Amino acid sequence: MSNLSHTEKKGLNISTKSFITAIVVLLGLMVLTYILTWVVPGGSYARTVDEAGNIIIDTTVGFRNIPGGIPFWKWLLSPVLVLGAEGNGSLIAVIVFLLVIGGVFNSLDKCGLMKYMLERITNRFGKNRYGLLMAVTLFFMAMGAFIGSFEECVPLVPIVVALSLKLGWDALTGMGMSLLAAGCGFAAGVCNPFTIGIAQELAGLPMFSGMWFRMLCFVLIYGLLLLFLYHHVKKIEKPLSEMVQQEASEPNREMNRGLICFVTILGIGILLVLSSVLFPVLQDYTMIIVAVMFLTAGISATLLSGLGIKRLGSTFGNGVVSILPAVLMILMANSIKYTLSEAHILDTLLHSAVLIAEILPKWIVILFIYLIVLVMNFFIASGSAKAFLLIPLIMPVAQIFGIPAQLCIVAFAFGDGFSNVFYPTNPVLLIGLGLADVNYVKWVKWSWKFQMLNLLLTSMLLLFGLWIGYC
């Protein structure tokens, strides 16, 4: 219980150790990126606007060399300049979203509602904690696979981490059940509108066609993740009797009202996000929907739980301040892509990869496409942005080698999703690790085995898809 007590006391304050580790890693990557701007020549693909108004690469014009490089002062200020870069409205939205999460969770924590909710869940499901492990993991994977939720899952990560500690496990297990599961589902992408949907549209394929193969991938990846988590918890868990024999919380009328209010409003928000599959117009607003509903749920629940308006303002403000270190990490992570773009070497790296793909054997090409997306995801976290950048280049290469377009879409989704929960340049991962008080090095040491096993599994799935002619 000592770990849980620590979690309850700190709320969502990001620990100094986790913060320093992340900053050192990101600073090192920023320096390496700047060095790269001196080594790699500048280049650019011609762009065009498609029928939907999206900017994509014009493969009929191709690639040309242009002057590259970036002034030192611009690189130094890149974490700030990135805020004003073209197309970074989503970055600002993520930062605002995070600040809302920090304020709400600190208020929930200070009024005691978080602790009360966890005690109620533990008392109800504690004796079947492995069933809870399976259900929570499936929920987060489904959120990623069917509606493309990743950033939107962040508000639930601290709840799952605290629940994991309450059940006798650790913060890593909580991260695995929530953010890692969401990333795996996002990659399986059964009907993920932000990767599969956009990529299929750019490739001229029917929206969400070929779903049976991606559903097979989802089931196999879910099984692998469950085995990984089960193997981990069996090594580190406390005896269940210790957790069940904790003194049960007495029902509290105010807390019950607050809890019902919180779950109801947040549930409505999740249903709205789920309905985006049927109403595509909502897909561009899922993060806003979650943020507004979460803010509404948090404020209403804390007031009903007995926290006064004056104290709510104070705790909310303190929560926002406590989350500011994560904002710096996000800006540093996004500055890497900004530096590459400003130095005009991002297209050069992509062009070199395409040239290599054209001389490889057919069966290796599909794996190389997977690798290209994995590499580009280090620099560009947004799945939709990568789709507009890569799909117009991947499809002609696939046609040359007779590789089914559907299989290329799966390779794209794999390369985009799994590394989201491994690369230090992904802001959502940095946020999750900070909230869970897990430093990045510890996360890598814990998750790399799963990533390697998953890389092997997904590579075999791609080769299987090539063998059966999946289309």
Side-chain angles (χ1 to χ4, degrees):
M1 287 292 292
S2 58
N3 287 338
L4 180 59
S5 298
H6 173 64
T7 303
E8 287 168 355
K9 287 177 182 177
K10 78 181 185 65
L12 286 191
N13 288 294
I14 295 175
S15 73
T16 303
K17 184 178 179 181
S18 298
F19 174 68
I20 291 175
T21 301
I23 290 297
V24 169
V25 171
L26 289 170
L27 184 59
L29 292 174
M30 287 178 63
V31 171
L32 288 174
T33 303
Y34 183 64
I35 294 173
L36 205 61
T37 65
W38 287 88
V39 177
V40 179
S44 175
Y45 277 106
R47 260 69 173 181
T48 186
V49 180
D50 65 11
E51 295 178 356
N54 301 309
I55 299 176
I56 60 173
I57 288 176
D58 187 351
T59 54
T60 60
V61 177
F63 176 84
R64 64 188 177 92
N65 292 311
I66 61 173
I70 184 174
F72 177 76
W73 70 267
K74 208 168 191 178
W75 166 78
L76 195 63
L77 296 177
S78 58
V80 177
L81 296 176
V82 71
L83 287 170
E86 184 180 356
N88 273 326
S90 59
L91 170 61
I92 297 173
V94 168
I95 291 174
V96 174
F97 181 57
L98 176 60
L99 295 176
V100 168
I101 293 170
V104 169
F105 264 109
N106 194 55
S107 299
L108 291 172
D109 182 53
K110 296 304 180 184
C111 76
L113 191 59
M114 277 286 291
K115 180 180 178 182
Y116 183 77
M117 176 172 59
L118 294 171
E119 286 175 346
R120 302 297 289 180
I121 294 173
T122 306
N123 293 337
R124 176 68 177 84
F125 299 104
K127 293 182 179 180
N128 188 24
R129 54 179 172 175
Y130 300 120
L132 196 58
L133 172 70
M134 295 173 63
V136 172
T137 303
L138 179 61
F139 170 77
F140 278 93
M141 268 200 70
M143 289 284 285
F146 293 97
I147 59 175
S149 288
F150 187 54
E151 292 92 341
E152 294 85 356
C153 292
V154 169
L156 303 178
V157 170
I159 296 176
V160 179
V161 170
L163 177 62
S164 175
L165 295 171
K166 190 77 173 176
L167 292 171
W169 298 328
D170 60 2
L172 288 169
T173 305
M175 283 288 292
M177 294 162 62
S178 55
L179 200 62
L180 181 57
C184 287
F186 196 89
V190 179
C191 52
N192 182 343
F194 305 108
T195 53
I196 297 296
I198 292 174
Q200 285 184 328
E201 183 179 0
L202 292 171
L205 296 170
M207 182 77 77
F208 303 138
S209 55
M211 191 181 296
W212 71 268
F213 185 78
R214 296 192 300 277
M215 196 67 216
L216 172 65
C217 296
F218 177 91
V219 172
L220 293 175
I221 293 165
Y222 173 65
L224 178 63
L225 179 57
L226 272 186
L227 287 174
F228 176 75
L229 292 175
Y230 181 77
H231 178 71
H232 173 68
V233 299
K234 292 301 286 185
K235 290 193 302 182
I236 57 92
E237 67 186 3
K238 298 176 183 177
L240 185 59
S241 58
E242 287 185 22
M243 310 311 302
V244 175
Q245 290 172 5
Q246 299 294 333
E247 52 188 66
S249 60
E250 291 294 329
N252 181 298
R253 182 176 297 179
E254 282 189 341
M255 290 294 179
N256 280 337
R257 283 204 308 264
L259 185 56
I260 292 171
C261 175
F262 180 75
V263 172
T264 301
I265 297 176
L266 190 59
I268 293 171
I270 292 174
L271 287 175
L272 286 173
V273 173
L274 289 172
S275 68
S276 65
V277 175
L278 301 174
F279 305 101
V281 69
L282 294 176
Q283 291 174 4
D284 293 334
Y285 305 100
T286 53
M287 190 184 298
I288 297 174
I289 291 170
V290 172
V292 170
M293 299 303 285
F294 190 71
L295 180 63
T296 305
I299 291 176
S300 303
T302 51
L303 291 175
L304 287 173
S305 300
L307 193 71
I309 294 179
K310 185 176 180 180
R311 193 171 174 217
L312 171 62
S314 174
T315 57
F316 190 92
N318 290 337
V320 170
V321 172
S322 72
I323 215 74
L324 288 177
V327 174
L328 176 59
M329 291 189 287
I330 292 172
L331 294 175
M332 291 179 69
N334 278 271
S335 73
I336 292 172
K337 179 202 170 184
Y338 174 82
T339 298
L340 294 176
S341 298
E342 288 294 309
H344 304 294
I345 65 173
L346 196 59
D347 282 5
T348 305
L349 296 174
L350 184 58
H351 177 65
S352 301
V354 171
L355 291 178
I356 294 173
E358 291 176 348
I359 61 172
L360 294 174
K362 177 179 178 179
W363 69 273
I364 293 182
V365 170
I366 188 62
L367 299 181
F368 191 72
I369 289 173
Y370 187 2
L371 177 63
I372 290 174
V373 184
L374 277 172
V375 172
M376 295 306 294
N377 198 42
F378 185 85
F379 305 111
I380 306 172
S382 169
S384 55
K386 276 194 303 297
F388 291 123
L389 178 66
L390 295 177
I391 296 300
L393 293 174
I394 289 174
M395 286 302 112
V397 173
Q399 290 172 4
I400 292 172
F401 287 90
I403 298 173
Q406 288 283 17
L407 196 61
C408 290
I409 300 301
V410 174
F412 172 81
F414 284 172
D416 172 70
F418 298 118
S419 52
N420 281 336
V421 284
F422 193 75
Y423 289 161
T425 50
N426 189 283
V428 180
L429 174 62
L430 297 178
I431 294 166
L433 292 176
L435 301 182
D437 193 13
V438 176
N439 70 60
Y440 178 73
V441 174
K442 185 177 181 181
W443 174 254
V444 170
K445 287 181 178 178
W446 180 72
S447 63
W448 76 268
K449 291 182 180 178
F450 170 77
Q451 290 284 357
M452 291 299 101
L453 289 171
N454 192 50
L455 183 63
L456 177 62
L457 172 62
T458 50
S459 297
M460 291 174 62
L461 283 168
L462 290 174
L463 293 176
F464 173 70
L466 186 64
W467 180 60
I468 65 173
Y470 164 63
C471 58

